[in-house]
Structures are given as C-alpha cells and as structure tokens.
Amino acid sequence: MELFYSLSILIIIATVFAYINERFMKLPSTIGIMVVTIIFSLGLVIIGSINSEPLNDVYQLIRNINFTQLLMGGMLYFLLFAGAIQININDLKEQKLPIIVFSTLSVIISTFVVGFALYYILNILLPLIGSTMQAPLIYCLLFGALISPTDAVAVLSILKKSNVSKSLETKITGEALFNDGVAVILFSLLYSISQGTEQLVDVTPATVSWLLIKEVVGAFIVGLGLGYIALYAIRTVADNKLSILITLSVVISGYMISQAMEISGPLTMVSAGILIGNRGRKYSEEEHKDFGFVKTFWELIDEIFNAILFLLIGFELLIMPDLRNYWIVGILAILIVLFARYISIKLPTAIIPFHEKFTKSSIFILVWGGLRGGVSIALALSIGDNIYRDALIAGTYYVVVFSIIVQGLSIGRLSGKLKN
C-alpha cells in the first residue's frame, strides 16, 4: 500500500508540474517538470530554514523512495523498452561502427580522462591555492565511471524534439542505448577496488573479458529470444489488448531473467524492444494487423515514466548533501566531464577510419548531446557510506542538472546554427 500511495502522489505532482510547464513555461515536457520541481524544492528548502515542520511529509515521502532500486530495478527497463521499440533498426545499421566505438571505447577513455584530470586538479593544483579538498585516485576514477555513460532516457526524451540531424541523432541515441554494459562493469570493478574486496585477486584481463562477454552477449541472446517468442505470440492472436500484455510480460520477465543470470538488463530490454518494434511493424504491413496500438501504448508509458523520473531527479535536491558545500567540486566536475567527452569523441574519430567524415560541428554536437541523467545519480547513490560519498553524489547531481537543463535546452538551437 505504501508503494501505491507514493506512486499515486508522484503521478499527481508530476501532472500538476507538467500543467504548470505547459501553461506558463513551455519548456520540453521532461525538462520543464524537472525545472519546476527544482524550483519547488528550493522553495521548500528556504521555508524549511525558517520552519521545518511543513517539510516533514515531503521529506518523508522522498526518503522512503529508494531512487537506485526504483530506477535500476524497474523503471529503467520500461523506459528503455519503450524507447527501443520506436527505434528504426536500419538507422542503427547505417551508423553501427560509430555506435559500437562510442558505446565502448569512448566510455573507457572518458572514465580515465575524468578520473586522472579530477585527481590532478584536486590533489596537485588546488592545494597550491590553499585548498584541502582532496580525493584518492580510485574515487576519482569511480566518479569517471559513473558519469561517463550518456543516459538513454534523457537522450531519447530530449533529442526527439530537437533539430539535430538524423545521422547525429542516431549516433547519440545508439550510443546511449548500448553503453550501459561497459559502464556498469567499469563501475563495479572500480567500486570493488575502492572497497578492497577479496574479489580483486580475480580481476585479470581474462576475467574482465569474460564478464563483458557474459553481460553483453548474454543480454542480446536473452533479449532476442524473448523478442522472438513475443512476436510469435503476437502474430498468432488478433487481440490488441493481449498483444500489449505480451510486451509487458517481456519487460517483466526480462528483468527477472537478467537479474537471475547476472547479465545486462538494459541491453536485454534494448535488444528485445528493437526486435519487436521493427519486426512488429513489418508483420503488421504484411499481414494487415494494427501494431500501432502497441506502439501508442508504449509511447504513453514512456511519457508517464519519464515525467516521474525527472520529477524524482528534481526532488533528489531535498535529500542530497548540502550542495552549497560542494559548488567548487560541481563546477570542476561539469568542466572536466565536458572535456573528457570531447577527448572520448575526438580521439576515436581521429584514429579510426569511419566511413563518414566527422566535421568540427558534428563533433561538437556529439559532445554537447551526450546528456547524463538518472542512471548516473542511481550509481552514485549506490555507493556505500564513506567520507567521499557526499562529494561524489553532489558532483554527479551538478553534472546531471547542467546536462539536462543547459545542454538539453540548447542542443537543438546549436545544431541549427551550426548547419547554417
């Protein structure tokens, strides 16, 4: 009953904030909801500094929600499937090499550039001006791992309403859909090292390679298997409502199987969604069935869950560590992450013979369109208690808010200007 109550309250608040945005602010829906929520949260913080009593119920509601578990253990699967079912596989095939490179090599490059740059600034440069804000290299690298993957949910919800060219949109979207596997493995390994676990004796190139193969290949096999089973079931029935239930079952069973097999759940959902979306449309044309009914349902799920997710990101401000104490870390993190993003895109495009030439403007759009979102916050919040946890969470929040609001609102205009 508590979960139902919390979810009901969140949906009501998201509806009210979405109305305020549509009526007065007219920002893109997800960004508008987050902006209104942040303004509302700041208002509550100001009121709370005078009289904390009105805040108790709101604080209690937000604290009762485990953001990491809610996103990584449920919402993300529905959101990724809803996004993947809309993707045209032919567009992905045309951009397959850049997508593969950016979702693997670029994530690794970015992780280490962020980690070493942050370590150098915090431990070597800032002490020259009297700063005592320092951190071990392993925690700087851990921050690099959790902040380097671009967020598919943020990218899909924002780019689809921007003026970015189709080829660039496909590259950014494809990278965001497929980079979770590498990012989560990197984060897990670095987090194990930071904790000094006994498992480190098994961290060798062979075991890491096997872990990556298991996570990625296993996810694709399971996702495609579920997709083909679902497609067979959908083709053999004429009931649209049953077809929707079948796709819902794919998401739920995909979550359960990926957890049991310890494979990448996000990649399982992406592969199943792309297969069902593309083959479903093909079958509907050949057999004159209405697959649009399923597509419309998942568009609605996408809108609802996105509204709740961006509402939660805004409300996380209420339970974050005192962000004012970490504004230097936040600004440094934003600049370092943008620099690392540039290096992680520029370096592969300079040394790998892509079929398509990358111009300065296209590299800039790829850098600026690499949005961070709820996944980075969820990973940061999953870190156990230690003296660096608050700084890591605060730095992550600064980057995510900047990414979604500043980069998300400006990417369309910038791409239009660069084309002219």
Side-chain angles (χ1 to χ4, degrees), residues 152-416:
V153 176
V155 168
L156 288 167
S157 64
I158 292 170
L159 282 191
K160 63 185 177 184
K161 296 181 180 178
S162 69
N163 297 318
V164 176
S165 68
K166 188 65 179 177
S167 64
L168 285 174
E169 181 184 348
T170 302
K171 291 184 184 74
I172 297 171
T173 302
E175 174 196 358
L177 284 170
F178 294 107
N179 63 13
D180 284 318
V182 173
V184 170
I185 290 173
L186 271 176
F187 176 82
S188 300
L189 289 174
L190 290 169
Y191 187 56
S192 294
I193 294 172
S194 72
Q195 299 301 298
T197 61
E198 295 178 359
Q199 296 175 353
L200 289 179
V201 295
D202 296 326
V203 179
T204 64
T207 56
V208 172
S209 299
W210 165 245
L211 183 61
L212 184 61
I213 292 171
K214 177 187 172 185
E215 283 264 349
V216 175
V217 177
F220 278 116
I221 292 173
V222 172
L224 293 176
L226 289 171
Y228 277 113
I229 292 171
L231 283 170
Y232 174 80
I234 290 171
R235 290 184 69 184
T236 54
V237 298
D239 189 336
N240 287 325
K241 294 185 287 296
L242 181 55
S243 296
I244 289 173
L245 284 174
I246 291 169
T247 56
L248 279 170
S249 297
V250 168
V251 177
I252 296 168
S253 59
Y255 166 72
M256 296 171 67
I257 294 171
S258 62
Q259 291 294 303
M261 296 181 63
E262 297 183 347
I263 58 177
S264 173
L267 289 180
T268 303
M269 288 300 95
V270 169
S271 55
I274 291 174
L275 177 66
I276 292 172
N278 284 270
R279 289 294 180 92
R281 282 189 289 271
K282 181 181 177 183
Y283 292 153
S284 65
E285 292 170 2
E286 294 174 352
E287 302 175 14
H288 306 290
K289 286 189 176 182
D290 183 17
F291 190 75
F293 200 84
V294 174
K295 182 181 175 183
T296 302
F297 170 81
W298 281 102
E299 286 176 349
L300 178 61
I301 291 293
D302 189 46
E303 289 292 326
I304 295 172
F305 276 35
N306 263 305
I308 295 173
L309 173 61
F310 282 81
L311 179 78
L312 285 172
I313 292 175
F315 270 140
E316 285 298 310
L317 178 67
L318 292 173
I319 59 173
M320 286 283 175
D322 193 346
L323 293 177
R324 289 173 296 180
N325 294 338
Y326 298 102
W327 67 270
I328 295 177
V329 172
I331 293 172
L332 285 174
I334 291 169
L335 296 175
I336 290 171
V337 168
L338 286 173
F339 172 72
R341 173 70 178 171
Y342 173 77
I343 297 298
S344 69
I345 296 296
K346 179 65 176 177
L347 193 58
T349 58
I351 63 176
I352 297 175
F354 291 109
H355 177 71
E356 176 186 356
K357 184 180 179 181
F358 286 82
T359 63
K360 289 183 179 179
S361 60
S362 62
I363 289 174
F364 179 82
I365 294 171
L366 284 166
V367 170
W368 201 248
L371 308 179
R372 273 67 177 183
V375 170
S376 291
I377 292 178
L379 290 175
L381 290 171
S382 71
I383 297 172
D385 289 335
N386 62 69
I387 59 174
Y388 305 106
R389 183 177 189 269
D390 287 353
L392 289 170
I393 294 173
T396 303
Y397 197 75
Y398 273 102
V399 172
V400 169
V401 171
F402 177 88
S403 171
I404 292 173
I405 296 178
V406 178
Q407 294 174 235
L409 286 177
S410 59
I411 183 66
R413 294 178 187 175
L414 288 173
S415 64

